[in-house]
Amino acid sequence: MKALLFIPKQYSLSEMILDGFNANGVEAQIIDYTDFFSPFIKRVYTKTHGFRKIAKYSEPAYYDFINTKYIEIINKEKPDIVYIYNNQFFFPDTLKKIKSKCKIVFFLGDHPLLSHTFDYNLDILQYSSYTISPDSHWKYELDSMGIPNVVCDQVGSSNKLFFQTSNISKEIKNKYESDLLFVGRNYSDSSGYKRTLFFNSFKDNDLKIFGNENWYKWFNFFPELEKNFILRNNRISHEELNLAINCTKVLPIDQNPGLINGIHLRVFEAIGAGTLPIMEWRKDIDLVFQGLLPVIKKYEEAQETVQLYLDDESLRIETINKLRQFVNNNYTPELLVKRLITFLIK
């Protein structure tokens, strides 16, 4: 069996899914459409994508070229499974041409109704043999629209990318060692206010926030949080993120605005790295973790909830060990792929 994985290489998810297929004895290859273009073309597209008057002339040729390459690669490799993250600019016509040759699988990282990246976000899902949704509410909406074969599942944690280690340099330790840690961007709209409000709950803890310039906008509302902030505009590597998570005791995780009931992937990454995640509560947490994962239901209770695990090391270690065992038994890339293969070969 052979699979082509259409996932951006910059995402840790690409390696996780690759490992999942390989662990199931499936030959797999990552295809990233950005590899089709020179650095100059990629810069031009990035610069013009937001300008509709320019983009309406440049984007059709850009998408046409991508889909032409896709068909060439699929015809050459003859995969049994085409695995697509979000849309990867696949045209419906492209999927119509290949549907009789292979199974088409989608993994949704973004809500197709809320994402504005592509006009065909929903149309392409009608060609799916198996669509993985990390959010039960997304599944409900897609089911109601008649999208076939939607399942709610979690990719979980990859022990290859996120794992406990004591092999950490002094430089990395000095940079990230803390009681609480957040590594990530902020937003310029009200989602940014919400994220900053959440982390302001921990302003008096040993908290380190590494993020982009958008954080500065919200320090006008939460000035005491700025002392916890370190500017970082470049994307952190998978390797450094794993080490960073290893350097902290608790990883507070706010809810991504695009997830309604779902669970942020960072929860599983933290568990893999041996650090306790404490997440803003959503319904799927109860369905997946069955009461094992500490949650924050009200921001006014956030600091107290986190402090409980900072003050009681044995409780924190016991909780993370139970979570790691549970995730290893139920939610890994290998198990995710095993479930989809079992469905496809029925």
Side-chain angles (χ1 to χ4, degrees):
M1 186 176 286
K2 180 188 288 189
L4 294 181
L5 315 179
F6 293 83
I7 311 174
K9 291 177 181 176
Q10 67 174 333
Y11 297 162
S12 60
L13 181 69
S14 62
E15 291 295 327
M16 292 168 68
I17 298 301
L18 179 65
D19 287 347
F21 275 98
N22 289 339
N24 281 276
V26 179
E27 178 187 348
Q29 178 184 350
I30 298 170
I31 307 295
D32 186 340
Y33 71 84
T34 64
D35 291 340
F36 302 161
F37 300 97
S38 69
F40 173 75
I41 296 296
K42 285 189 272 192
R43 283 197 302 271
V44 169
Y45 175 79
T46 301
K47 295 287 186 183
T48 60
H49 180 61
F51 296 95
R52 300 313 304 167
K53 289 183 178 180
I54 300 174
K56 70 178 181 179
Y57 296 108
S58 62
E59 285 183 352
Y62 186 77
Y63 298 152
D64 282 344
F65 182 78
I66 290 172
N67 279 265
T68 298
K69 293 289 289 184
Y70 282 167
I71 291 173
E72 288 176 2
I73 292 169
I74 291 167
N75 285 339
K76 177 185 176 183
E77 297 294 334
K78 296 179 173 54
D80 301 287
I81 298 172
V82 165
Y83 189 104
I84 304 166
Y85 175 76
N86 284 337
N87 60 67
Q88 296 306 295
F89 301 133
F90 267 90
F91 284 152
D93 282 349
T94 300
L95 297 177
K96 189 175 182 180
K97 289 175 183 176
I98 68 170
K99 186 170 175 60
S100 62
K101 304 175 184 178
C102 58
K103 300 293 186 180
I104 298 169
V105 175
F106 283 94
F107 183 96
L108 301 179
D110 298 310
H111 193 319
L113 285 172
L114 300 179
S115 173
H116 304 294
T117 55
F118 200 45
D119 289 342
Y120 302 111
N121 278 340
L122 283 172
D123 194 15
I124 57 178
L125 295 179
Q126 68 177 302
Y127 298 100
S128 178
S129 306
Y130 189 86
T131 295
I132 302 168
S133 167
D135 187 309
S136 62
H137 186 77
W138 298 7
K139 171 177 164 51
Y140 167 78
E141 290 184 312
L142 295 173
D143 282 343
S144 70
M145 287 184 283
I147 301 301
N149 306 321
V150 182
V151 300
C152 194
D153 206 344
Q154 307 295 326
V155 68
S157 181
S158 167
N159 292 329
K160 180 179 177 180
L161 294 177
F162 292 94
F163 52 87
Q164 273 187 299
T165 180
S166 58
N167 186 22
I168 303 173
S169 70
K170 186 176 181 180
E171 179 186 3
I172 291 292
K173 271 193 174 182
N174 290 339
K175 186 175 183 179
Y176 293 110
E177 198 165 38
S178 56
D179 285 346
L180 308 174
L181 178 70
F182 178 80
V183 180
R185 61 176 177 161
N186 211 338
Y187 310 96
S188 59
D189 58 13
S190 56
S191 296
Y193 179 94
K194 175 185 175 296
R195 170 161 283 180
T196 314
L197 174 66
F198 177 82
F199 283 98
N200 193 60
S201 305
F202 317 114
K203 64 182 182 298
D204 296 325
N205 288 92
D206 177 25
L207 163 69
K208 290 182 179 180
I209 297 172
F210 292 83
N212 64 356
E213 292 183 348
N214 283 340
W215 280 93
Y216 288 121
K217 174 179 179 178
W218 305 111
F219 293 147
N220 293 325
F221 298 85
F222 306 100
E224 293 181 72
L225 187 61
E226 188 169 3
K227 68 182 184 301
N228 304 93
F229 178 72
I230 301 100
L231 178 64
R232 178 177 186 134
N233 278 317
N234 59 314
R235 190 181 185 93
I236 190 171
S237 68
H238 314 150
E239 294 79 10
E240 187 172 339
L241 179 59
N242 178 61
L243 296 177
I245 296 174
N246 267 270
C247 289
T248 195
K249 295 177 180 177
V250 172
L251 208 71
I253 300 173
D254 63 318
Q255 181 63 18
N256 185 300
L259 289 168
I260 309 301
N261 294 338
I263 302 171
H264 199 291
L265 182 59
R266 190 59 51 86
V267 168
F268 295 99
E269 293 171 345
I271 292 170
T275 293
L276 180 65
I278 299 183
M279 184 181 167
E280 183 180 359
W281 178 83
R282 288 298 183 268
K283 288 183 180 180
D284 289 353
I285 293 174
D286 295 341
L287 295 173
V288 170
F289 285 103
Q290 305 169 19
L292 290 175
L293 182 70
V295 296
I296 295 167
K297 290 192 173 182
K298 295 183 179 180
Y299 286 12
E300 63 192 40
E301 301 169 355
Q303 204 282 329
E304 181 181 353
T305 301
V306 164
Q307 197 64 49
L308 173 66
Y309 292 90
L310 291 177
D311 290 342
D312 191 337
E313 184 175 5
S314 61
L315 174 63
R316 188 177 75 254
I317 293 172
E318 179 186 359
T319 303
I320 187 60
N321 286 341
K322 287 181 179 178
L323 284 166
R324 291 185 77 194
Q325 187 64 48
F326 178 80
V327 168
N328 286 337
N329 289 341
N330 296 279
Y331 296 101
T332 65
E334 179 179 357
L335 293 172
L336 177 85
V337 172
K338 183 177 181 179
R339 287 189 282 267
L340 82 85
I341 291 174
T342 300
F343 180 91
L344 293 178
I345 62 176
K346 282 181 181 178

